[in-house]
Every structure is written in structure tokens, then in C-alpha cells.
């Protein structure tokens, strides 16, 4: 019973997968799923072994159902109700297992074809990149070959225009010197280009350092301005404190003088009271 339910739901899932693959957006999804399976599940993976085991199990069930149906149809005996029910269940199981086996083989074939297609596309991309690189190198070589041909033609024209072996030898020696000097000059140019690149790199480093130092200097200037402002505020506060201190001293002096006057007045009033008494 459980096996029949498993086969039925397996058939339903396979039919749904086939339906999704037939839809337009199912192709991208199938490519993504198959690339994921190719990346993480290879030929020797446990998923592949499980798939082969399921295929073998479904094929065995299909063969067993076909054999049972063949036995019942080949026999000429009158079938009872129980045997008819068994025959109907065998037919149902045969249809389910056969359709499930067909869909499984179809999906396996689709998986293999899409996997090979993805592999071929990747190899094609790699080959196109290699071909583009080779074409670029071939173009460079053709340009160098053309320049060398032009130089050799010029050399031959110069040599053919002169007469006499001695003059030709002199001309060849001069050309050899020129070629050697040209090679030396090319090496010097390469060295100068390398030095120029190094100088540019050093200039870039120096400019970065200068930018960093300028930013640090600007920060220091801002801090200095803030400190100057704080000093000005502190000076103004100190001046205010000095003024307040002077005012306080004046007030204390006035208070002391007033106290002395009050004491004198008290003494005078006390003597006047004594005389009056």
C-alpha cells in the first residue's frame, strides 16, 4: 500500500516537473537547477546512486505487474471476484509504474541533454576567449611581419642601388650598426618607460602623502583656531573677573569706612546719652 502511494506521488511530481519544463520560464529555472546539480552532485555522488536505485525499483515493479497480467490473460480459467479485483489492481499498478518509468526516463534524458548543453556552452565560451586572444596575437604578429618586410625591402633597395662589393660591405656594416643602435635605443626607451612608470607611482604616493598632510594641517589649523577662540574667551573672562574683584575690593573698603563711621556715631550717641542722664 505504501509502495503504491509512493509510486503515485512520484508520478505526480514527475508530471509537475514536466509541466514546469514545458512553460517558458521553466527553461531558465531548469538551467539553474541543473547547473546547481552539476556543481554539487557529480556522477559519483550519492544522489546519482539513489536515482539509479529508484529506476531499478520502478522497472522491477513494472516488469512484475506485466508478468502478472500476462499470466491472468494467458490462462483460460474463469476468474472469480477476488481474482478480478487483483487483476484490476495489477492493471492499475502497471499503468502507474509504466507512466512513472516513462517520465523518469524522459526526465533523465532531459537532464543529460541539458547538462551536456551547459558543458558545451562553457567550453564554447572558453574557446571563443582563446580564439579572440589568438586573433589579437596573430594581428600583432602580422603587423610586426609587415614592418619587418618594409625594413627588408628598404635594405634591399639600398644594397641594390650601390655598385661594388666594398661599397656593399660598407653599407651592410653601416646598416648593422644602425640596427644595433636601434636595439640599444629600444632598450633605453624601455628602461626610460619603466623609470617613468616608477616616477609616476612615486608621484602618486607623494601626492597621496601631501593630500594626507594637507588634510592633517587643515585639521591642526582648525584646532588652533578653536584654541585661539577659547583663549580669547578665557581672557575676556579673566578681565571680567579682575573688574569684579576690583569692584569687590572697593565695596569692601566702602563697607569698612561705613562701619567705622557707624561706630563713631554710636560712641558719640552713647556719650550724649550719658550726659543727658
Amino acid at each position: 500500500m505504501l509502495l503504491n502511494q509512493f509510486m503515485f506521488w512520484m508520478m505526480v511530481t514527475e508530471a509537475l516537473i514536466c509541466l514546469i519544463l514545458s512553460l517558458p520560464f521553466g527553461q531558465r529555472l531548469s538551467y539553474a537547477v541543473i547547473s546547481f546539480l552539476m556543481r554539487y552532485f557529480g556522477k559519483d555522488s550519492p544522489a546519482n546512486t539513489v536515482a539509479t536505485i529508484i529506476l531499478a525499483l520502478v522497472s522491477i515493479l513494472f516488469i512484475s505487474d506485466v508478468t502478472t497480467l500476462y499470466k491472468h490473460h494467458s490462462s483460460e480459467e474463469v476468474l472469480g471476484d477476488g481474482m478480478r479485483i487483483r487483476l484490476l489492481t495489477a492493471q492499475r499498478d502497471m499503468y502507474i509504474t509504466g507512466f512513472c518509468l516513462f517520465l523518469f526516463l524522459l526526465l533523465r534524458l532531459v537532464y543529460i541533454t541539458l547538462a551536456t548543453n551547459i558543458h558545451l556552452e562553457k567550453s564554447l565560451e572558453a574557446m571563443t576567449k582563446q580564439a579572440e586572444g589568438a586573433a589579437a596575437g596573430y594581428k600583432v604578429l602580422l603587423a610586426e611581419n609587415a614592418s619587418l618586410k618594409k625594413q627588408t625591402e628598404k635594405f634591399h633597395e639600398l644594397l641594390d642601388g650601390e655598385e661594388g662589393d666594398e661599397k656593399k660591405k660598407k653599407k651592410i656594416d653601416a646598416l648593422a650598426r644602425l640596427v644595433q643602435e636601434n636595439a640599444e635605443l629600444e632598450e633605453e626607451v624601455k628602461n626610460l618607460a619603466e623609470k617613468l612608470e616608477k616616477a609616476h607611482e612615486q608621484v602618486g604616493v607623494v601626492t597621496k602623502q601631501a593630500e594626507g598632510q594637507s588634510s592633517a594641517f587643515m585639521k591642526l589649523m582648525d584646532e588652533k583656531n578653536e584654541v585661539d577662540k577659547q583663549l580669547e574667551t578665557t581672557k575676556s573672562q579673566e578681565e571680567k573677573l579682575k573688574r569684579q574683584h576690583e569692584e569687590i575690593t572697593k565695596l569692601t573698603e566702602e563697607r569698612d569706612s561705613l562701619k567705622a563711621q557707624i561706630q563713631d556715631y554710636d560712641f558719640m550717641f552713647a556719650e550724649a546719652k550719658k550726659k543727658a542722664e
Side-chain angles (χ1 to χ4, degrees), residues 68 197 256:
T68 54
E197 288 179 357
D256 293 333

Side-chain angles (χ1 to χ4, degrees), residues 215-230:
S215 62
F217 181 73
M218 292 299 292
K219 287 181 181 178
L220 290 171
M221 289 296 293
D222 293 332
E223 291 177 356
K224 184 178 178 297
N225 292 323
E226 290 178 357
V227 170
D228 291 333
K229 289 179 181 178
Q230 290 178 0

